Amino acid sequence: MSSSSPCAIALEAVIFDWAGTLVDFGSLAPTQIFVDAFKSFDIHITLEQARGPMGLSKWQHIQALLAEPAIARQWQQCNGHAPTDKDIDAIYSRFMPMQIAKVGEYSQGIAGVAATLCWLRSKGLKIGSCSGYPRQVLDVLLPLAAAEGIAPDHVIAGDELAAGGRPGPYMALANVLALKIGDVAACIKVDDTVPGIEEGIRAGMWSVGISLSGNEVGVTPEQLAQLTSEQIAGLRSRAEARLREAGAHYVIDSVADLPAVLALIETRLQAGQRP
């Protein structure tokens, strides 16, 4: 790609989230398991509550849920004390085997993802990824996704970095190091959650939000197909507003729509613009 500005750079990589972005339309696997894990402690949370901190690493996700006043009150009433780190550990220990057992049921690739990854590679772009899932869960998910043609060049799990996970920039930057990217502005971060968008912004990357296939809408393709165009438009608008507020430069329905946005970002880079 030729430069039209002395400050222009070319795109080098796209870094993707997993659930709700590459696989698991609606990001259902982690959400339902949080509900089930809390229920096993006689704490009742809704799917909407479970979705609230989505994008965080799972221990931090549980911590955030227990900090919610309504959930904290339930814990106090059931256990006679406010939630502690020991309690977070206990729920996490219950959550992990449940998530490992169930993640395969929600591992289906989102329509158009495999083709988009193939297209990105045809343009010479590297493909990174990161997730709030711990490595034990990804060890189950990754071979199933690879069988569908979804196999990034690098994967970082939510429990692998001493610095922590989202909304910090660490997992995105770990991809930059592993993929040997020369400039963070040459990267696009694609994510369906608010912490994931914040991660990309803090890493200095172009950040693209995912609305309809992701956590912010949180429905299956079958459920989406039953909705009217007006209902879908309302869900899309609400999701886009949340992701834009987090800093997303662009918001698309799914990864299948990424090529058009990539062209826009390339044009801005050629004009010397940066995220």
Side-chain angles (χ1 to χ4, degrees), residues 45-236:
I45 67 173
T46 66
L47 284 171
E48 185 174 359
Q49 285 174 316
R51 286 190 182 283
M54 199 64 74
L56 298 179
S57 297
K58 301 314 174 194
W59 194 94
Q60 286 74 22
H61 190 129
I62 294 167
Q63 181 184 47
L65 288 173
L66 285 174
E68 288 289 327
I71 299 173
R73 280 195 299 272
Q74 280 196 67
W75 189 271
Q76 178 82 41
Q77 291 165 2
C78 287
N79 297 282
H81 61 82
T84 66
D85 283 359
K86 185 177 179 180
D87 298 322
I88 299 170
D89 290 339
I91 298 173
Y92 184 80
S93 295
R94 190 76 54 85
F95 168 87
M96 277 294 292
M98 296 168 72
Q99 184 71 91
I100 291 168
K102 290 288 188 179
V103 69
E105 297 179 17
Y106 299 90
S107 65
Q108 293 80 13
I110 293 170
V113 165
T116 298
L117 298 190
C118 184
W119 179 82
L120 291 171
R121 286 197 168 103
S122 75
K123 291 178 64 66
L125 295 173
K126 297 175 181 178
I127 300 172
S129 68
C130 51
S131 176
Y133 279 142
R135 175 54 66 172
Q136 285 178 284
V137 175
L138 286 179
D139 284 343
V140 176
L141 175 60
L142 293 179
L144 298 172
E148 294 192 43
I150 301 171
D153 302 318
H154 193 65
V155 182
I156 295 288
D159 62 345
E160 289 187 314
L161 301 179
R166 299 165 182 155
Y170 314 111
M171 291 195 292
L173 294 177
N175 274 276
V176 170
L177 292 172
L179 298 174
K180 300 179 181 178
I181 304 303
D183 192 322
V184 291
C187 296
I188 301 173
K189 174 70 201 304
V190 184
D191 205 296
D192 65 303
T193 69
V194 165
I197 293 299
E198 292 175 344
E199 172 191 23
I201 295 298
R202 293 183 185 191
M205 300 175 180
W206 301 95
S207 292
V208 177
I210 299 294
S211 58
L212 290 188
S213 80
N215 176 70
E216 289 298 327
V217 171
V219 299
T220 67
E222 293 75 21
Q223 290 169 331
L224 194 67
Q226 297 300 313
L227 301 178
T228 66
S229 58
E230 290 80 8
Q231 288 172 321
I232 293 171
L235 290 172
R236 179 190 287 114

